């Protein structure tokens, strides 16, 4: 039994069941025992591998897309180049390397990273040196300036609440106790005004997830871009509208129960892109696009072929496998989606169609 599990059992025994959101927040962000507070979760020695860790091409494509969006909006200077949840700093490092040749881009860019983990902040500073970076605990403290932002696998880790439909109401999924062990259960039926519109497309027993923190982040992001200009590329796994239980845990690259060893496994849920777009009003949401289609439109295959010419043997095989993993429908190409956001009067974003 993990140290955090003991604390959670003690808390629940005193105050009763807690929401899935409270459970996720404790497991991921507890200052002493939380998953992100205590470890580097990325790569072979961690619990999962993200697209930037698979190949430099992912960050290169995104960097050039951001630079083109910046140029299309008149190359404002200075501007905020930001990433939410930047991991080890790999994506931002690739973005900066790919945009070195864009006239004026680096001179105007001020790099800001929204990161809660002290372990990962240290990785980011080291990886991005000598570039000066400013860290933030939340998006709300970013400076007032045109904002060109990217985020990859950030929203999937924000705490969700789960509701199961029951007639014309909902029962909330909670984490309680069964004997001396953590267990999932349901509340009595209750009204959930935020889900009134989902009564039209759900049936009894269906599960819908709400991520309130994501809506808050999107509202702040929308304020910056609406008042200052800029653009956002949001990449994550999920779909246009939440439906079904997607709450999941990963440990040592293997799925485990969400209640196993709290604080020692990564907890995530699929992203509801429709909810993100709604929360970003009055920005214009470009059409949600599969990651593979997006990267192909940006020219990843041509880049892959150019890099392949410098490789051989195992290195070439790994490179080909990385390209497939990022783009193929059976790999990350369809599961992951891209949502672009700009002001209504801004030019279209590279790789994305306007709704």
């Amino acid at each position: 039994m993990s140290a955090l599990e003991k604390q959670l059992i003690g808390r629940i025994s005193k105050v009763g069941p807690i929401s899935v959101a409270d459970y996720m927040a404790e497991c991921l962000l507890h200052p002493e025992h939380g998953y992100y507070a205590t470890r580097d979760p990325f790569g072979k020695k961690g619990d999962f591998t993200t697209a930037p860790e698979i190949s430099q091409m992912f960050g290169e494509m995104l960097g050039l897309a951001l630079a083109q969006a910046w140029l299309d909006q008149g190359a404002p200077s200075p501007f905020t180049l930001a990433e939410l949840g930047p991991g080890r700093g790999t994506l931002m490092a690739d973005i900066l390397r790919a945009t070195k040749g864009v006239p004026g881009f680096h001179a105007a860019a001020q790099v800001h990273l929204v990161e809660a983990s002290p372990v990962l902040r240290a990785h980011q500073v080291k990886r991005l040196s000598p570039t000066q970076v400013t860290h933030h605990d939340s998006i709300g403290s970013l400076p007032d300036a045109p904002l060109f932002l990217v985020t990859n696998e950030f929203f999937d880790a924000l705490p969700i609440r789960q509701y199961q439909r029951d007639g014309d109401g909902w029962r909330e999924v909670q984490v309680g106790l069964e004997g001396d062990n953590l267990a999932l259960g349901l509340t009595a039926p209750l009204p959930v005004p935020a889900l009134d519109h989902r009564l039209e497309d759900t049936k009894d027993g269906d599960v819908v997830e709400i991520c309130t923190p994501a809506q808050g982040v999107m509202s702040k992001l929308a304020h910056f871009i609406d008042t200052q200009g800029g653009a956002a590329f949001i990449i994550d796994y999920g779909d246009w509208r939440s439906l079904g239980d997607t709450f999941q845990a990963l440990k040592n690259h293997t799925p485990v129960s969400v209640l196993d060893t709290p604080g020692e496994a990564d907890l995530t849920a699929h992203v509801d892109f429709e909810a993100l777009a709604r929360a970003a009003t009055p920005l214009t949401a470009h059409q949600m696009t599969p990651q593979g289609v997006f990267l192909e439109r940006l020219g990843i295959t041509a880049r892959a072929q150019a890099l392949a010419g410098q490789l051989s043997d195992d290195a070439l095989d790994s490179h080909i496998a990385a390209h497939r993993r990022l783009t193929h429908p059976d790999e990350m190409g369809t599961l992951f989606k891209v949502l672009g956001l700009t002001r209504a009067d801004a030019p279209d974003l590279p790789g994305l169609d306007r709704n």
Side-chain angles (χ1 to χ4, degrees):
M1 183 181 294
S2 68
L4 183 58
E5 185 173 0
K6 292 178 183 177
Q7 289 191 16
L8 288 167
I9 289 172
R11 173 183 171 184
I12 293 170
S13 65
K14 290 179 181 178
V15 304
I18 61 176
S19 69
V20 170
D22 284 345
Y23 177 76
M24 280 188 74
E26 287 292 297
C27 290
L28 296 177
L29 299 174
H30 187 283
E32 196 176 350
H33 305 299
Y35 181 77
Y36 284 111
T38 58
R39 72 199 67 216
D40 174 3
F42 298 95
K44 292 181 180 179
K45 295 181 180 180
D47 295 308
F48 58 87
T49 303
T50 60
E53 305 289 336
I54 292 170
S55 171
Q56 68 185 60
M57 296 183 293
F58 182 80
E60 290 172 348
M61 295 298 103
L62 272 170
L64 294 174
L66 281 165
Q68 187 61 58
W70 175 74
L71 289 169
D72 290 342
Q73 292 190 32
S77 180
F79 75 94
T80 299
L81 177 60
E83 184 179 355
L84 308 183
R88 291 172 170 169
T90 305
L91 175 56
M92 184 57 72
D94 290 338
I95 287 171
L96 291 172
R97 189 186 64 256
T99 54
K100 271 185 179 179
V102 179
F105 188 82
H106 280 208
Q110 297 177 346
V111 179
H112 292 259
L113 306 176
V114 177
E115 177 59 69
S117 166
V119 175
L120 293 177
R121 282 189 178 195
H123 276 292
Q124 293 153 18
V125 169
K126 184 177 180 180
R127 178 67 60 90
L128 296 174
S129 179
T131 300
Q132 182 178 351
V133 301
T134 302
H135 279 108
H136 301 262
D137 291 326
S138 69
I139 190 174
S141 60
L142 290 176
D144 287 329
L147 174 62
F148 290 82
L149 176 143
V150 64
T151 175
N152 179 65
E153 291 198 58
F154 170 79
F155 286 100
D156 64 274
L158 296 184
I160 58 156
R161 299 185 81 145
Q162 281 190 327
Y163 296 92
Q164 182 175 301
R165 181 163 174 187
D166 188 315
D168 289 334
W170 304 84
R171 294 177 184 263
E172 183 169 7
V173 180
Q174 293 187 313
V175 179
L177 296 178
E178 207 169 78
D180 294 328
N181 299 311
L182 296 174
L184 295 173
L186 295 169
T187 65
L190 48 85
V192 184
L195 291 177
D196 284 349
H197 68 292
R198 297 307 305 273
L199 294 174
E200 300 173 0
D201 70 330
T202 56
K203 61 183 184 302
D204 275 7
D206 281 349
V207 172
V208 174
E209 297 166 344
I210 295 178
C211 185
T212 302
Q215 295 171 13
V217 170
M218 293 301 293
S219 178
K220 291 184 175 69
L221 187 157
H223 170 74
F224 280 114
I225 294 179
D226 185 49
T227 58
Q228 304 289 333
F233 290 94
I234 297 168
I235 304 102
D236 226 310
Y237 60 93
D239 219 323
W240 183 245
R241 178 172 283 193
S242 168
L243 183 62
D245 177 6
T246 71
F247 187 31
Q248 57 193 330
L250 204 63
K251 187 175 183 179
N252 297 324
H253 299 270
T254 303
V256 296
S257 165
V258 294
L259 300 179
D260 280 355
T261 57
E264 296 179 7
D266 181 43
L267 298 179
T268 62
H270 285 204
V271 173
D272 182 336
F273 282 93
E274 180 186 38
L276 295 186
R278 283 173 175 259
T281 303
L283 298 185
T284 291
H286 288 57
Q287 193 172 85
M288 185 188 75
T289 302
Q291 175 178 291
V293 174
F294 173 71
L295 293 174
E296 291 292 358
R297 288 175 178 174
L298 294 179
I300 192 171
T301 294
R303 176 60 174 156
Q305 291 169 343
L307 290 172
Q310 308 166 29
L311 303 172
S312 60
D313 302 327
D314 289 347
L316 178 59
D317 291 341
S318 295
H319 173 65
I320 293 170
H323 175 262
R324 175 185 169 84
R325 189 169 177 190
L326 290 174
T327 62
H328 197 277
D330 292 338
E331 304 262 0
M332 299 172 75
T334 298
L335 175 63
F336 282 78
K337 311 295 195 305
V338 184
L339 182 70
L341 297 165
T342 61
R343 290 198 303 213
D345 60 353
D348 292 351
L349 290 175
L352 299 174
D353 294 325
R354 191 181 291 265
N355 280 326

